[in-house]
Structure formats: C-alpha cells, structure tokens
Amino acid sequence: MSPLQKVGRWIGEHLVLALGLLVLIYMFVPIAIVALMSFNDPSSRNVYKFDGFTLHNWLNPCEPSGMCASVVRSVEIGLLATLVATILGTLAAFALVRHRFAGRGPLNTLIILPMAAPEIVLGSSMLALFVSAGFGGKLGFVTIFIAHVTFCLSFVIITVRARLSGLDDNLEQAAMDLYATENQTFWRVTFPLVFPGILGAALLSFSLSFDDFIITNLNAGQTVTFPMYVWGVAQRGIPMQVNVIGTAMFVIAVTIVLGSEITRRRRAKAAA
Amino acid sequence: MARTRRRARFTGYWLMLPSALWLALFFLVPFYSLIAMSLYDPEGSSLTGYDMTWHFANYVDVVQAYWRPLLRSFWYAALATLGCLLLGYVLAYAIAFKAGRWKNLMLVLVIAPFFTSFLIRTLSWKLILADDGWIVNTLQAVGILGPDGRLLATSFAVVMGLTYNFLPFMVLPLFASLDKIDHRLIEAAGDLYASPARGFFKVTLPLSMPGVVAGTLLTFIPAAGDYINSELLGSPNQRMIGNVIQNLFTNQGDYAAAGALSMTLMIIITIGVVLYIRRAGTEDLV
Amino acid sequence: MSLVADHDSTTQDPTSAGRDLELRAVTKSYGAFTAVRSLDLVVPQGSFFALLGPSGCGKTTTLRMVAGLDTPTAGTISLGDREITYDKPYKRPVNTVFQNYALFPHLDISENVAFGLKRRGVKETKKAVAEMLALVELESQGSKKPYQLSGGQQQRVALARALINNPEVLLLDEPLGALDLKLRRGMQIELKRIQTEVGLTFVHVTHDQEEAMTMADTVAVMNAGVIEQMGAPSELYDNPATTFVANFLGQSNLLAGDILGPDGDVVKVSVQGTTVSIPIERCHSEGGKGWVGVRPEKVMIAEVGGEIDAPGNRFEGGVVTDVSFVGVSTQYLVRMPWGQELMVFEQNTGRRPILAVGTPVDLSWRPEYAFLLDASQDAKAGVEDGDD
C-alpha cells in the first residue's frame, strides 16, 4: 500500500465518523439553543435573542398565563390516550403473534395505514367524521383524545408485536414444564418479559401524543394543548418559559433513556 | 409455535376486537367521511351545513386554485428527503460501521431530539436563522448573501427545517438495514474492487436499499403534509398544501374544498408510493 | 443417599418398583409429514437412556411428547401404570433440560432453580436450592442473572432447575450441543456422575454418537421416525442390525455378498468369490443377497503374501490408495479388485512400517467380528456427510 493510499484509508476510517458526528451536532444545535434560551432575560417580548442570564424563567415556569394549564392538559390527554392505546394495542399484539385467525392480512394493513398517511390527511378525516356526526361544535378534550389514541394505537401494536415475536418460545414451555399453569406461565414469564416492550410503547405513545400539533389543531376546538399554546404565542412573541418546558422535557426523557442504557451496559460488563 | 397450547378458538378474535373496532371506527369511517366531505356541494358552509351532491368538480376547483402550493409541497418534500438521505446515510453509516461501542449511545442521540417539542425545535431554527443572527451576518460578510439578504422566509429555511425535523425517520431505517450487512461482505468487496468507493456502490449501497426505500417514504410522506416549517420559517411565498388545508378548515370553514384537497394529497401520495415501491422492487417495507 | 431435596411432591416415590417410562405405538404427524412412526419404547426406571439420531429423525419430537409439549397423533405414553399421554406439561412428573437451556432471563439463578418448587406451592425453597446449586457446583452464583454465566454454567443451572423437582424422568434435549468440545466432554462425565448420584431416569436426546455411547446404559438409534435398534452401546457397535446403525455409529465396510446358507453356528456368504463365515447371532438377513459388514479397525492388512493373524480367508489384489496417519493409528483406503474402497484402521504398534500408497496388499478379518445385513437396505444410510 502506498503512503497515499494509507492516508486515504485513514481519512476514510475517520472522516465518516467525523461527518456523522457533525450531523449529530446539527441535530442538537436547536436543542442547545432551547436550553440556552431557557436562561434568557429578554429585553423585549418581540426580540427573540439572548440578552442576559437569569434563573427567573426556571423559578417562575408558570408565569405566562395559560401555559401551565396547557401543559397539564397535554399531560392529561397524553396519559389517558397512552393508557387506552397501550391496553388495546397490547391485546392486539398478543392476538397477532399468538393466535391464528382469518383476516390477518387486511388487519396488518389497517394497522400500518394510520402511520403511513400524512398527519394533515389523518386530522382532516377525523374532523370530517366529527363534523358529519354532529360534533363539529363540540370539538375538544374528547375528540383530541380519540384522535391521539388512533395514531398511538398503531405504534403500540407494532412495538409490542416486535417484542413478543422476539420472545423465545422455549421459555414459556420451560415454565409449563416446571409446573406453571397457563395463567402462571403468562404472569410469571410471558408478561415480565414482554413488559419492557409495553413500557417502551407507552413512552412512545406519550411523547407522540404530547408533541402532536397538526392533528390536534384540527380537532381541538377551543381546547389548548401545549403545542397549540406554543403555536399561538409563536406569532406574538414567545415567553422564555416555553424553553423551560422544552428543556425540562428533554432532560427528563434523556435521563430515563440514558439511565436504562447505563444499567444495561453495567450488566453487560458484569456479565463479561 | 403455539401449537402446543390449546387455546380457546376465539381468544384471538376477542383480543383483536377492541383495536380493530377502534381503527375501523376512528380510521376507516373517518376516511369515508373525508371522501364524502370532498364531494359536498361547495355552496354550503360550516355554519349552514353541506349537502352531499357528489360534486366531483371540487377536485378540479381545488387543483386549479391550489396547484402551486401542491407542487411546492412535493418539491420541498423531495428536496428535504434528498437532504435527509445524504445526511442520514452518513450518520447511519457512521453508527453502523464506525461507532464501535458507542453504537447504542449514538442511536439514543438520534431519537433524543424527539424528546423536545417539534414546535419548540422549529422555533429554535427561527432564532438561529434570524436576520441579525451570526449565521446571516457571516454569510453577508463573506458575500454569499447580499447586505439585505436573509435566510428566514426563504425556501431554503423551509427545506432546511423539514430536513432537520424528519432526519431521524431517515436515520433509523437506514441504520437498521446497514447494521444487518455482514462485515465480511464489505471486506470481500475491498478485496474484489480496487477502490473503496466502487466497493461501496457495488455492495453496501445495494444492500442498504430496503433502508433507503423505507427512510425516503418515512421522510417524504410527513414532509409533504407538514405546514409547521413553512409557517414558522417561511413566508406566504413558501406556503405548502398543509397550510392551505388547515386554513380552509379552521379559518375559512370551506369544508368541501378542504376535504377535496386533503383527498387529492392522499391520492397523489398513494399513487406515488405505489409506483416508487414497484420501481424500488421492495414490497416488504414494514 | 439422594442429594435431591426430599420435599413433598406430586411425584411418587421413585424407588417404588415398576415406574418405567413406556411409549406404545406413538405416532406424531404434521399434516402429511410423519415425524414419529408407531414408536414402541420402554425406558427402565433409573436408567440413563439415549435417543440417538441425525437431526430430523424424530427424537426431539419424541422427547417433547414425553414432556407434554407436543401431543401424539396416536398411541399412549405412560409412567408406571399412569397414563400421561394427554396430561398438561405441568401435570406430569417429568422435567426437561432444554437445548438452549431456556433460563428465565428476568430471574436470578436461585429464582430460576426454585421456579418449579414455588409453582407447586413449596414455601421454603432456600435449603433445597442451596443443595441443588451445590450438586452442580454453582454455590456462589445464586444471585447472578443467567446472562452473567458461561454456557457451561447455564447448562448446569438448567439441570439444577429440572432436578430440584425430583422428577421421575429427566429429559435432556441435546443439553451439551451449545458447548465447545472440551467443555462437552467434561459435562458428559458430570452428567453421568449426577445421574448415578440421584438415581433418576434420564432420557437424553443427542445426535452425537460418541456422547450417547459414553453416557448411556441403553442407546436407541432413531432414523426417519422409527427406532432402528436399541441396546447397550457396545452391543450396538459390535453387532449393528441395520446399515443405518452400522454407518451412523462409527464407520463400517459393507461388502455385497450372496448368502450360501447356514453351516453349524455360522452362515456362509460368498463375497466376490471368497467365502466368509459369519456367526449366526450376527446375521440380520434371511437369505439371498446381503451386506457383509466389518468395522475398519477389525480389518487386518498385510503386504501381498504377508502374515495375517486371522483364520479367515484372504481378500487378495488390494492396492493402498490413501494413507492418513492419525497418531495412535493409521487409516488406509484400499481399492479392491472389484472396485470398492475399503477402510482399514491399524494401530501403530510399530510392528512394521506404515504402508505407502500404491502398495499391493491382502486383507482379512476374524469371522467373529463380521456381521450380515439385509441387502434391501441402503449401504450409504446413516453415513455422515461431514462432521459437525
């Protein structure tokens, strides 16, 4: 190998990684700005730039009127939609993996479609239903909840189904072999092993619901969720507390995910 | 698999029933409602109600009225998809082949942006690209932008925003299919083809095609329907079809036109996706 | 003497007489495919029984039916005088060591071992678990999770988890298949020790003939859903009844011959013009044509005209075509005048130099080592294509 080729190879080895890291940085720049702006002491509401450092926003997160109420509403909807979608989706995933029945093909398509349609179309069709069913004037918490369950459901089914079909069949057979009845096998072996998948699906559901804007905006009526609040104030000048909420969400979620990853790594290390 | 366990014959149906009903009632029926709405008599209004008159002319009307934002949506979505593909491929390749023990951490980092609100992240770009921000100032100083040149309210800002927001949807499927490739194949390619570049184009890229197809679909479809980026980072000149539909529904209350436009978007996307998958030759995407 | 915890259990006292595992006309079909064909089998209580066969021969299906994980299409399975054919797996005093161990990943080692006792309502499991972990020499590993153990350790946990229940029959499904060769040999001895110690009936499924022969009291060779032959390992090896057994257990030379008929306590067979004698109890063919079988290490070789220490007739005109030196012995391939190549394994006693390729040789063997098989059987049946 000529020195030139060596240099070329070295660059090839490290350039891709370096470029990849640059892309990651690109993905995190806006988040860094959000975190930074959560400490901003703005000179005027209309100028969106960093003027000075303050803890005021973090100490008074609920100062902007209506913001915390919208966060609470989003959390409520998120929890409720997650609960329903997770329960229904988990049952469906068990049906799809563990039972044979007619109509699996069409059902699989039905499950994928809500994820494949653009949000604006999904939202429009929900609105069309609510309007034609006479709920056009009663849009609000319930219609948002229904819409959120609908798009979370597919994600839950797919996530839990993946976990369930990756489960080693032998484990359940071993449990039965070791005197566990069908019920005991399910609750002592199957469920604990599928649970991480269900939990992951629930977290995904919650974040999808909490973050949804396009579908919600069409079906919300006068109800204001957190993304809708942000949308509303975006036109007038954003209170810095919005960044506090954004940063807090990020920190909480990253802590959960990194925490579990670190535990996993530690275990792997202990095993080695 | 489950043959050893005798289960009640109908358990599967009972378990499936709630989800199937929910999706039928709140996904299929709404679709039917949307089709019906798109054929309403446009003379009605959201206040007075509509008559169902099989008014197919709605489709012609909305396409005539809104072909510019419609085309623009697909154009922007295509550009954003291309951007995501370039950036996403580099990142997915780095994670799959170069990250070593940092693989999992980097994957977590790819999803991490989802943990803050889509809207807040997009607003953040508004600040970064602001007229008196350092990026614009720098570009003006080196002459890429004129003295009054700006980034906000341009097509560039909107496409950049779309690229940014949908990048993870590209990276994840790309990573999934790159990660499956046997390392020895790439080494063998290194033996067979003189240059790494040829090895890449002859082996790695073809093997990662399922990821490319899935990723482009997962990016293009939501990008085509998005209006948050064009609203926050663009101007009325960068209006996309999502803005129009949203506006027709909530501000103008013109449900017939909104429905027809929504259906038009769906129909074009469906046809496009089917043709694309045929061409890419990958049927098993999900 | 039993190290197995003597807790109260649903199992009967294993020392009571007549608790043999008995399969009668057991058949298992999947649609058109028959995995097990009318199988009759008695496994005496307290024995170490091996079901040996190539993959797909139906041995694992048989095991699963005994465990209750599969239900026979026809036939009955009983333990002593209790029929268990359709009992649920958790209702039968049978436990299994699974091929990939199937340890519960969310439970630690002690919890894994205690699982069976707990399900049967035993409250105090600590002592029994400790004793069982001691038996498999994993005393200090109780609080670890399965993935923290090596393959060999996981294997022993799986064994302990099954044994603690004091089953009447312990089923082992290729339990050593995932271990490397050295570990496998060690575990074979270990398993044999534990079986002797606890005195339970072990039914061991394997495709490794050496493993089956080392460990089992009785080996049943299974092929295509039926048992070809059953008996003590040495018996199967010395006197195989079918070409499959002759080839699957070790290697055999099979020579086509015409059966001339009985002569006292031997049967005379003409092989390529040379008449050989085979003891009557080693004949598994009625008349007409047959395969004369002889193990390679029983064939004696000498340069043309050289001395051969055997009373039988000589086969002349052979030529050495291949020589492999494997340390303790030398393996020759000898092409005979009728075109067949015979295998000859000779101990390297140093009595004379190793013969070179191309050397003309004579072959012979002691008549008491030959066996006669049915000519309708495929001479290549059971020949392993490549070692695993």
Side-chain angles (χ1 to χ4, degrees):
Chain A
M1 201 188 293
S2 74
L4 200 68
Q5 271 176 312
K6 265 186 195 160
V7 170
R9 182 149 297 192
W10 190 90
I11 290 175
E13 286 293 311
H14 297 84
L15 184 69
V16 178
L17 191 58
L19 287 176
L21 289 175
L22 276 181
V23 176
L24 265 185
I25 290 171
Y26 165 66
M27 294 174 80
F28 279 89
V29 164
I31 294 164
I33 301 283
V34 172
L36 181 70
M37 295 308 276
S38 73
F39 296 102
N40 185 24
D41 189 7
S43 51
S44 105
R45 275 200 79 161
N46 302 318
V47 184
Y48 196 50
K49 62 175 199 179
F50 197 80
D51 291 321
F53 179 86
T54 178
L55 286 175
H56 176 87
N57 309 318
W58 281 90
L59 297 173
N60 305 281
C62 287
E63 200 178 55
S65 76
M67 190 187 79
C68 280
S70 75
V71 172
V72 169
R73 194 153 305 116
S74 276
V75 170
E76 283 169 356
I77 293 172
L79 289 179
L80 211 57
T82 297
L83 184 72
V84 173
T86 306
I87 291 172
L88 297 192
T90 302
L91 295 180
F94 269 92
L96 287 168
V97 176
R98 293 302 173 86
H99 297 270
R100 317 253 142 241
F101 48 88
R104 288 166 64 93
L107 268 175
N108 274 322
T109 317
L110 181 62
I111 290 161
I112 291 161
L113 278 178
M115 302 197 298
E119 280 190 88
I120 186 83
V121 177
L122 209 57
S124 305
S125 67
M126 297 263 185
L127 180 60
L129 170 77
F130 295 138
V131 166
S132 60
F135 281 96
K138 296 178 211 152
L139 295 176
F141 193 94
V142 176
T143 50
I144 299 175
F145 160 76
I146 289 174
H148 284 202
V149 172
T150 309
F151 66 72
C152 288
L153 193 52
S154 298
F155 285 94
V156 173
I157 295 176
I158 302 259
T159 313
V160 178
R161 186 174 65 178
R163 177 85 191 182
L164 197 52
S165 50
L167 190 67
D168 181 1
D169 235 31
N170 277 324
L171 293 175
E172 287 163 296
Q173 297 183 357
M176 300 255 269
D177 186 61
L178 294 166
Y179 310 103
T181 61
E182 284 89 347
N183 257 328
Q184 288 172 329
T185 301
F186 180 81
W187 289 111
R188 303 254 167 206
V189 176
T190 317
F191 188 75
L193 289 174
V194 178
F195 186 69
I198 299 176
L199 194 66
L203 288 174
L204 180 66
S205 270
F206 183 81
S207 62
L208 285 172
S209 163
F210 191 89
D211 200 22
D212 180 74
F213 174 71
I214 294 182
I215 296 174
T216 311
N217 196 24
L218 281 168
N219 293 286
Q222 300 306 309
T223 307
V224 177
T225 64
F226 179 63
M228 291 179 65
Y229 172 85
V230 176
W231 182 258
V233 294
Q235 328 290 333
R236 309 192 297 268
I238 301 155
M240 290 304 126
Q241 280 83 352
V242 163
N243 296 310
V244 172
I245 302 291
T247 311
M249 272 164 62
F250 182 76
V251 170
I252 291 169
V254 168
T255 310
I256 292 174
V257 174
L258 283 188
S260 63
E261 168 71 11
I262 286 165
T263 334
R264 200 193 60 76
R265 261 183 194 234
R266 233 181 241 153
R267 282 182 182 169
K269 216 175 214 174
Chain B
M1 173 171 51
R3 63 172 182 259
T4 56
R5 275 149 284 168
R6 306 205 158 260
R7 291 206 174 84
R9 257 178 76 196
F10 297 107
T11 316
Y13 290 99
W14 284 114
L15 292 175
M16 194 67 228
L17 191 69
S19 291
L21 271 184
W22 188 287
L23 287 176
L25 200 58
F26 298 118
F27 178 70
L28 288 184
V29 175
F31 232 90
Y32 166 78
S33 307
L34 182 64
I35 295 171
M37 181 179 267
S38 71
L39 300 171
Y40 281 169
D41 183 346
E43 293 307 309
S45 80
S46 57
L47 299 175
T48 59
Y50 285 94
D51 296 321
M52 173 68 190
T53 56
W54 297 96
H55 197 87
F56 282 99
N58 283 343
Y59 284 82
V60 181
D61 294 344
V62 292
V63 171
Q64 268 175 351
Y66 304 111
W67 64 271
R68 276 173 186 280
L70 201 55
L71 270 186
R72 191 181 294 124
S73 292
F74 292 123
W75 175 233
Y76 283 0
L79 287 176
T81 305
L82 188 67
C84 283
L85 186 59
L86 293 177
L87 296 178
Y89 208 104
V90 171
L91 181 52
Y93 190 92
I95 297 175
F97 297 128
K98 308 285 179 194
R101 60 199 207 90
W102 301 105
K103 203 188 240 184
N104 280 316
L105 181 70
M106 283 178 84
L107 274 178
V108 170
L109 290 179
V110 170
I111 349 172
F114 285 138
F115 299 152
T116 54
S117 164
F118 187 101
L119 281 172
I120 298 181
R121 275 180 290 142
T122 312
L123 282 170
S124 194
W125 278 111
K126 197 169 177 173
L127 179 70
I128 299 167
L129 303 177
D131 291 341
D132 52 355
W134 66 268
I135 291 188
V136 169
N137 287 340
T138 312
L139 291 177
Q140 285 170 340
V142 297
I144 294 177
L145 282 177
D148 295 322
R150 45 189 317 214
L151 289 174
L152 272 187
T154 63
S155 301
F156 169 80
V158 178
V159 171
M160 202 283 317
L162 289 170
T163 306
Y164 171 78
N165 275 310
F166 296 108
L167 189 52
F169 293 107
M170 181 66 88
V171 177
L172 294 177
L174 276 178
F175 167 78
S177 65
L178 282 171
D179 199 40
K180 272 190 223 152
I181 298 177
D182 191 339
H183 257 266
R184 284 168 298 180
L185 281 178
I186 294 170
E187 279 162 21
D191 278 350
L192 295 172
Y193 299 104
S195 79
R198 281 197 68 194
F200 174 82
F201 284 108
K202 293 273 177 191
V203 178
T204 314
L205 188 61
L207 285 172
S208 64
M209 270 323 273
V212 173
V213 174
T216 45
L217 287 176
L218 285 175
T219 314
F220 183 84
I221 297 174
D226 180 78
Y227 63 83
I228 295 173
N229 287 283
S230 90
E231 188 80 34
L232 295 181
L233 304 176
S235 71
N237 290 329
Q238 280 79 41
R239 209 162 51 134
M240 290 170 69
I241 203 65
N243 306 54
V244 179
I245 296 172
Q246 167 68 30
N247 198 32
L248 284 172
F249 268 123
T250 46
N251 297 348
Q252 301 180 21
D254 190 349
Y255 286 5
L261 203 51
S262 220
M263 279 307 298
T264 307
L265 175 66
M266 190 65 210
I267 291 165
I268 296 176
I269 285 181
T270 308
I271 294 173
V273 167
V274 170
L275 289 178
Y276 179 65
I277 292 177
R278 281 256 174 92
R279 228 197 125 103
T282 325
E283 301 268 353
D284 48 348
L285 287 173
V286 194
Chain C
M1 68 102 222
S2 172
L3 275 174
V4 175
D6 49 347
H7 50 79
D8 175 52
S9 70
T10 58
T11 60
Q12 313 264 314
D13 177 9
T15 57
S16 72
R19 302 290 295 169
D20 298 346
L21 171 68
E22 199 169 341
L23 281 73
R24 290 228 168 281
V26 168
T27 298
K28 177 70 182 176
S29 313
Y30 299 103
F33 173 69
T34 305
V36 176
R37 198 182 302 270
S38 192
L39 188 84
D40 289 305
L41 190 65
V42 177
V43 179
Q45 183 202 336
S47 65
F48 199 129
F49 188 93
L51 262 179
L52 173 67
S55 56
C57 73
K59 57 190 194 299
T60 295
T61 309
T62 307
L63 194 82
R64 290 174 58 86
M65 289 191 287
V66 175
L69 300 171
D70 273 332
T71 313
T73 316
T76 61
I77 301 172
S78 46
L79 254 178
D81 41 18
R82 173 181 163 198
E83 195 195 316
I84 57 167
T85 319
Y86 300 106
D87 285 359
K88 298 266 190 188
Y90 48 84
K91 290 260 169 69
R92 32 181 110 190
V94 172
N95 289 109
T96 310
V97 176
F98 287 80
Q99 184 165 12
N100 60 355
Y101 320 134
L103 300 180
F104 304 124
H106 59 302
L107 303 179
D108 70 23
I109 300 309
S110 297
E111 289 167 329
N112 262 284
V113 175
F115 191 91
L117 293 184
K118 288 253 170 71
R119 298 290 80 72
R120 289 187 299 166
V122 178
K123 291 273 178 295
E124 192 38 61
T125 58
K126 256 200 176 129
K127 191 163 155 275
V129 169
E131 282 177 5
M132 198 39 71
L133 287 178
L135 178 70
V136 296
E137 293 162 1
L138 288 172
E139 297 94 327
S140 56
Q141 314 287 329
S143 54
K144 288 193 177 165
K145 287 284 181 74
Y147 57 80
Q148 292 174 295
L149 301 188
S150 69
Q153 290 175 320
Q154 291 188 23
Q155 203 280 331
R156 283 181 282 163
V157 174
L159 187 65
R161 187 179 69 171
L163 276 178
I164 197 169
N165 303 293
N166 198 13
E168 289 189 40
V169 178
L170 183 77
L171 305 174
L172 302 111
D173 183 6
E174 302 263 10
L176 310 178
L179 305 181
D180 62 48
L181 189 68
K182 209 173 155 195
L183 204 51
R184 196 151 62 194
R185 297 288 172 248
M187 280 306 298
Q188 285 172 5
I189 297 163
E190 187 79 345
L191 265 180
K192 185 71 194 163
R193 171 183 73 81
I194 290 170
Q195 195 265 338
T196 321
E197 212 161 304
V198 298
L200 298 176
T201 311
F202 275 35
V203 178
H204 182 139
V205 154
T206 181
H207 68 278
D208 180 344
Q209 44 119 349
E210 203 178 323
E211 187 174 301
M213 296 212 280
T214 323
M215 298 163 76
D217 311 322
T218 311
V219 175
V221 180
M222 215 174 160
N223 182 35
V226 297
I227 289 181
E228 296 251 343
Q229 193 180 358
M230 198 165 98
S234 58
E235 193 182 316
L236 292 187
Y237 185 81
D238 284 344
N239 187 9
T242 67
T243 55
F244 179 83
V245 176
N247 289 323
F248 192 75
L249 274 188
Q251 288 165 296
S252 295
N253 295 302
L254 296 176
L255 297 88
D258 295 308
I259 301 172
L260 304 173
D263 178 8
D265 31 345
V266 297
V267 171
K268 297 278 186 191
V269 184
S270 164
V271 177
Q272 311 293 339
T274 305
T275 301
V276 299
S277 308
I278 293 159
I280 202 136
E281 71 276 7
R282 299 169 70 87
C283 290
H284 307 280
S285 182
E286 296 303 309
K289 296 201 172 292
W291 295 113
V292 171
V294 59
R295 297 289 188 181
E297 73 276 12
K298 301 293 185 340
V299 182
M300 287 175 283
I301 186 168
E303 283 183 81
V304 174
E307 186 193 332
I308 295 184
D309 178 26
N313 282 318
R314 281 183 177 224
F315 286 88
E316 292 168 352
V319 177
V320 175
T321 56
D322 188 62
V323 181
S324 328
F325 176 76
V326 288
V328 294
S329 66
T330 304
Q331 308 190 347
Y332 297 102
L333 272 183
V334 178
R335 183 179 297 280
M336 300 312 288
W338 59 90
Q340 188 177 8
E341 280 192 327
L342 298 183
M343 293 176 282
V344 181
F345 298 169
E346 189 179 55
Q347 284 291 314
N348 287 334
T349 56
R351 214 161 50 85
R352 66 163 159 68
I354 291 166
L355 303 168
V357 171
T359 313
V361 291
D362 295 346
L363 302 181
S364 188
W365 57 81
R366 293 181 163 275
E368 62 265 36
Y369 291 130
F371 47 89
L372 182 64
L373 304 175
D374 196 325
S376 65
Q377 293 172 357
D378 177 11
K380 294 259 179 274
V383 177
E384 284 180 87
D385 27 86
D387 213 355
D388 53 294

